[in-house]
């Protein structure tokens, strides 16, 4: 299952996607594939307006670190997650 760790300011959340459902818990997650790091301020901006997600990544205020190798990421469905994310970002840009 895909495992993502989110570091928002000093807070850490672990999420796992199981059968299309996202389960989130407070704290680190073992075996994370990806780590997303941002500030609390950026997280609030992204929640208020989805177009801020793209801006935050472009400006380097939000970062993504790939822990797992490319083959593992592909096998866990990260390519489709990435494509969905990019499709949403293109909609916001238009």
């Amino acid at each position: 299952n895909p495992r993502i760790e989110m570091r928002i300011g000093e807070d850490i959340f672990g999420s796992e996607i199981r059968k299309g459902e996202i389960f989130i818990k407070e704290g680190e997650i073992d075996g994370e594939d990806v780590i997303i790091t941002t500030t609390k301020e950026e997280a609030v901006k992204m929640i208020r307006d989805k177009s801020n997600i793209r801006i935050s990544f472009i400006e380097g205020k939000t970062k993504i670190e790939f822990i797992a190798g490319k083959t593992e990421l592909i096998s866990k469905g990260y390519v489709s997650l990435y494509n969905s994310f990019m499709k949403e970002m293109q909609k916001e840009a238009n």
Side-chain angles (χ1 to χ4, degrees):
N1 296 327
R3 293 171 169 253
I4 301 169
E5 186 169 285
M6 295 166 284
R7 298 176 182 175
I8 304 170
E10 298 297 318
D11 299 321
I12 299 174
F13 300 92
S15 65
E16 183 174 4
I17 301 171
R18 289 183 245 142
K19 296 182 182 178
E21 289 188 62
I22 301 173
F23 297 89
I24 300 172
K25 67 175 185 108
E26 193 169 347
E28 295 180 0
I29 189 167
D30 291 331
E32 69 274 13
D33 304 305
V34 173
I35 298 173
I36 298 171
T37 306
T38 194
T39 65
K40 289 182 181 182
E41 294 81 10
E42 285 300 303
V44 169
K45 286 180 189 177
M46 289 185 257
I47 290 168
R48 289 185 177 160
D49 184 352
K50 288 184 181 180
S51 66
N52 285 320
I53 297 171
R54 183 177 60 83
I55 294 166
S56 188
F57 276 98
I58 289 169
E59 293 180 350
K61 295 177 182 175
T62 299
K63 296 180 177 141
I64 188 164
E65 177 184 358
F66 296 98
I67 305 300
K70 194 180 288 187
T71 303
E72 187 172 356
L73 293 171
I74 290 169
S75 73
K76 289 185 175 187
Y78 282 96
V79 171
S80 58
L81 287 172
Y82 175 80
N83 289 339
S84 295
F85 176 77
M86 292 309 294
K87 187 184 285 184
E88 286 299 315
M89 292 303 96
Q90 288 174 353
K91 283 182 191 175
E92 293 293 328
N94 295 329

